[in-house]
Amino acid sequence: MHDLLQVNPELAYLVPGREKGVISSKGLAHPDELYAYVGSSREMLKSGGRMSKFGTVETRFPTVEPSTLEILRFSLAGVVLLPLAVFLSVCARLSAASRARRLAALRLLGLSRKGVQRVNAAETLAAALLGAVFGLGAYSVVNQLVSRAGLPGFKWYAEDGSLSWNTFLVCLVGCPGLAWLVGRASARKAVANPLAVRRSAVDKPTRLWSLLPLVPGMGIVVGYCVMGATGHVPTDTSFSAILMPLAVVLVGTGLVLSLPLLSSSLARKVASVARSLALSLAMRRNEVEPGGALRVATGLVLLVYAASLSQGVLIELSQVSKNTAPVQLYTMALDGMSHEKEQAVTEVSGVTGHAILADSWTDPDSREWPESISAVIATCEQLRRMASVTKNCVEGHSARLMIQGFTDDEFSKPGKSFPFRLQNSKGKHRFVSVQVPSRTMRYHDDTAAQIPSSGAVLVPPSTLPAGYRPEGRATLALVSSSAPATVRSVLEGVAKVDPTIEVDTDGVDATALQQITVIKSLLGAGMVLGLIIGLAAYLVAATDRAVERRPQVTALTLLGARPRTLRAVQVTQVVLPLAVGLVLAVVTGKMAESSYLVTGGGAVFWDGAGLPLLLASALGVVVLAALGSLPLIGRRIDPELIRRD
């Protein structure tokens, strides 16, 4: 604002007072925050108390409320951390077969158990340390770039996004430390039984215990869905806040662990009835080695599962901020607002109707119970724009507004007169007596806060003295569509007229609208990051699996299998378990989303609108996996691969 005033001094008329200083970034939450300290006269301070300080340590209106922030953390944990866990596990098994055979050879040559584990852990540690340094450096660069460009509806200062020393040390020490533990654990099989590793012993078949996390997780999810379908919505939110995240984690873990068992069982049944050579080879490979396909499919399966949960979070947050009425009401005090600003506010884009609401004057020194009525100062045309039902309205004539379902004002009796105190732009005051008419008019609007009681008097503006309007607690009421975009447009239009006008939005939290934009931006960034991680896990796993399978593919080629058959085998043995996993991910994801919506306390439990997008994403994942499997079969035969094996 200080820089803009140097170019256009007339902007100073938008805010009261004179410029006395500039609020730096330390006093703001983010670069988009509009904040000002407006001083008062000594007389006003004497009557209203003493001022002791400027501002507080915490912001009055945080960018995201703490409760909403917890929802965001929970969502990003599912969207980002689940694919990240899969990616790390895939990287831990990178070239696992060839590495295990090399470690087993070292053990057979006489290296001790601990020595073999140290060799493997040291290799992993060196790579992890290099990756941690590269990742921290990349984050610093990305933070500087993205903080300046910002996300839709959200910007931050680069120094606020920089990592603390504690976080820096945790990443720099924790990542290599974790890699050390994983490296020692991954060499355990080669150390314990090196001959079995060198001879490529068949892995043990999967057991039913892998379904253990999925059963209780689905039990919780199904229970909440049944409660929502039968109308027995849970009221204990604290218990649901613990149980629901637990169910989401159990279902996600169960999806990963149950895929090998389901893939092996399905492959065994399909192979027993298959008549195609390619299908038989693919299913037999999945039957004896279900973990290979699991590494390729898991990241993409969890990505679809997390995407469904993200849809539920966005629906729940939209319900909190969205007005359920078809129209949106805005009220603002007339005190301190000039006639020009009042006229400009009513002409803001998106506003469909306006009126002035006022109460009759009462003597503050009277000891008797004050009698007062409410008045609506508007023409019939203005009233029709604000209400859905206006019957018997005659232009230029007053009437009692009768609202069905509202209690009648006990003081609004036909024939009684009430004084209204008016004021003009020069500060002159005068009283006008308004008599309650006998003629009534049926009135109904779509918001319950426009007129507080039945019996309010409609006063045509033409009956008031020219240039005068009510003073005191009189308010200007505006009406627009309740669409979030329209609400934002109206609020921005009022702020352009006068940024110091306090606007009360009935039925919707204006701050929540901004928070929804921020949440959507951060969730969108998280989903993009999760997509990148999921695709990276898929590419790493697919490439690693192709390297491991080269000797078997070469042997089949020498035995006479055509490249087209081998490509069909590769695509089938990847696509089939992936399709099974995606079906499970869509079903369990939608059920987990519905149970989350049931526990959220909103009105929407079942999200049918997001299902086509989820199915399209799943289909795209299958196509991507199929295309990624095609280049794994090379045209050149290298028998040396078998010789080395």
Side-chain angles (χ1 to χ4, degrees):
M1 186 67 174
H2 172 79
D3 296 337
L4 291 175
L5 286 176
Q6 308 303 317
V7 181
N8 189 0
E10 294 181 355
L11 288 174
Y13 293 106
L14 286 176
V15 290
R18 301 182 305 275
E19 181 186 347
K20 301 294 290 185
V22 179
I23 302 176
S24 65
S25 60
K26 293 182 179 180
L28 300 174
H30 52 84
D32 283 341
E33 185 177 30
L34 302 179
Y35 202 89
Y37 292 107
V38 180
S40 299
S41 64
R42 294 183 180 274
E43 290 73 16
M44 294 179 64
L45 287 176
K46 287 179 181 178
S47 61
R50 297 173 59 187
M51 183 178 68
S52 59
K53 63 179 180 179
F54 280 99
T56 58
V57 176
E58 297 181 353
T59 58
R60 182 182 177 187
F61 301 105
T63 305
V64 180
E65 292 290 340
S67 58
T68 310
L69 196 59
E70 293 300 324
I71 298 175
L72 178 63
R73 286 178 177 142
F74 167 71
S75 306
L76 289 179
V79 174
V80 179
L81 293 186
L82 282 179
L84 180 62
V86 174
F87 178 71
L88 292 178
S89 64
V90 167
C91 290
R93 289 180 54 86
L94 190 61
S95 300
S98 58
R99 181 173 55 182
R101 292 166 63 81
R102 179 170 52 83
L103 295 175
L106 292 176
R107 176 72 180 118
L108 292 174
L109 288 174
L111 194 61
S112 66
R113 289 172 175 252
K114 291 184 178 181
V116 173
Q117 289 181 332
R118 288 194 189 102
V119 168
N120 190 42
E123 292 177 353
T124 311
L125 178 64
L129 184 61
L130 180 63
V133 173
F134 177 77
L136 290 172
Y139 173 79
S140 300
V141 175
V142 171
N143 177 52
Q144 293 289 335
L145 297 177
V146 179
S147 63
R148 286 166 170 76
L151 298 174
F154 180 49
K155 289 184 179 180
W156 64 94
Y157 294 108
E159 54 269 23
D160 291 339
S162 60
L163 297 178
S164 64
W165 281 107
N166 292 335
T167 306
F168 189 85
L169 290 176
V170 166
C171 294
L172 200 59
V173 176
C175 291
L178 180 63
W180 172 272
L181 296 176
V182 172
R184 288 180 64 89
S186 60
R188 190 174 302 166
K189 183 178 179 181
V191 170
N193 195 353
L195 285 177
V197 173
R198 288 299 300 175
R199 293 170 179 169
S200 301
V202 178
D203 294 334
K204 294 181 180 180
T206 54
R207 304 293 182 181
L208 289 177
W209 66 265
S210 59
L211 297 176
L212 190 59
L214 187 62
V215 173
M218 286 304 299
I220 298 172
V221 168
V222 171
Y224 276 127
C225 290
V226 171
M227 294 172 71
T230 56
H232 299 84
V233 180
T235 56
D236 189 357
T237 55
S238 59
F239 182 68
S240 298
I242 299 175
L243 203 59
M244 192 59 231
L246 178 63
V248 170
V249 173
L250 286 175
V251 172
T253 307
L255 277 177
V256 176
L257 296 179
S258 62
L259 276 180
L261 177 63
L262 297 177
S263 176
S264 177
S265 302
L266 179 64
R268 187 181 304 110
K269 293 182 179 180
V270 173
S272 62
V273 297
R275 295 293 182 266
S276 168
L277 174 62
L279 185 60
S280 298
L281 286 174
M283 293 302 99
R284 291 304 181 189
R285 171 55 58 182
N286 284 348
E287 179 184 354
V288 299
E289 191 192 359
L294 169 67
R295 282 186 286 154
V296 178
T298 302
L300 302 177
V301 168
L302 284 181
L303 195 61
V304 173
Y305 173 70
S308 182
L309 289 176
S310 301
Q311 287 181 345
V313 172
L314 291 177
I315 292 173
E316 182 65 28
L317 293 176
S318 298
Q319 290 184 82
V320 175
S321 63
K322 186 179 181 181
N323 189 359
T324 55
V327 297
Q328 177 61 51
L329 174 67
Y330 315 83
T331 55
M332 57 205 76
L334 277 178
D335 188 22
M337 186 186 301
S338 64
H339 287 276
E340 292 76 13
K341 289 183 179 180
E342 176 190 344
Q343 182 67 25
V345 166
T346 59
E347 295 175 355
V348 166
S349 176
V351 174
T352 57
H354 67 277
I356 294 178
L357 310 179
D359 294 331
S360 61
W361 179 82
T362 56
D363 187 0
D365 298 327
S366 176
R367 296 184 179 180
E368 298 179 358
W369 184 263
E371 295 186 0
S372 176
I373 61 169
S374 300
V376 181
I377 304 174
T379 64
C380 289
E381 179 62 25
Q382 291 176 358
L383 208 62
R384 291 189 187 99
R385 291 177 177 270
M386 296 187 67
S388 56
V389 177
T390 53
K391 293 186 177 181
N392 305 326
C393 186
V394 179
E395 198 68 64
H397 291 76
S398 60
R400 291 177 70 229
L401 301 178
M402 306 304 297
I403 309 174
Q404 186 178 2
F406 278 65
T407 57
D408 293 337
D409 189 348
E410 58 177 328
F411 302 123
S412 180
K413 306 295 182 183
K416 293 186 67 174
S417 296
F418 295 87
F420 282 80
R421 189 176 181 179
L422 309 179
Q423 182 182 9
N424 64 5
S425 58
K426 298 180 180 180
K428 294 183 178 181
H429 301 273
R430 63 179 297 181
F431 285 91
V432 171
S433 180
V434 174
Q435 186 179 27
V436 179
S438 58
R439 192 173 66 86
T440 61
M441 169 185 154
R442 288 186 58 192
Y443 176 86
H444 177 73
D445 58 49
D446 295 311
T447 62
Q450 285 190 28
I451 300 177
S453 62
S454 180
V457 178
L458 173 64
V459 179
S462 58
T463 61
L464 300 180
Y468 283 84
R469 64 182 184 181
E471 71 166 3
R473 293 183 298 174
T475 59
L476 175 64
L478 307 178
V479 170
S480 76
S481 167
S482 62
T486 305
V487 175
R488 291 193 195 96
S489 175
V490 171
L491 291 175
E492 290 172 358
V494 174
K496 288 180 181 178
V497 175
D498 187 349
T500 63
I501 296 178
E502 292 190 18
V503 183
D504 184 15
T505 51
D506 177 67
V508 66
D509 186 358
T511 307
L513 289 176
Q514 177 63 23
Q515 290 193 20
I516 290 300
T517 305
V518 174
I519 294 298
K520 287 183 177 180
S521 297
L522 294 178
L523 268 182
M527 292 185 71
V528 171
L529 188 59
L531 177 63
I532 294 174
I533 295 173
L535 291 178
Y538 166 74
L539 292 175
V540 169
T543 304
D544 182 52
R545 192 165 185 269
V547 172
E548 292 182 359
R549 290 275 294 135
R550 281 190 304 177
Q552 290 86 356
V553 171
T554 302
L556 290 173
T557 303
L558 292 176
L559 288 173
R562 292 178 297 178
R564 184 174 60 183
T565 302
L566 295 179
R567 290 193 178 94
V569 170
Q570 291 288 348
V571 171
T572 304
Q573 66 185 25
V574 170
V575 167
L576 188 62
L578 178 61
V580 174
L582 289 177
V583 171
L584 279 176
V586 171
V587 174
T588 57
K590 296 305 292 184
M591 294 182 68
E593 175 192 358
S594 298
S595 60
Y596 173 79
L597 293 175
V598 169
T599 58
V604 177
F605 291 168
W606 320 108
D607 171 33
L611 188 58
L613 177 62
L614 203 63
L615 293 176
S617 302
L619 182 61
V621 166
V622 173
V623 173
L624 178 66
L627 294 177
S629 302
L630 292 177
L632 301 183
I633 304 299
R635 294 184 178 181
R636 188 172 62 89
I637 300 175
D638 188 6
E640 187 65 21
L641 292 172
I642 300 179
R643 180 180 178 86
R644 292 171 185 168
D645 191 30

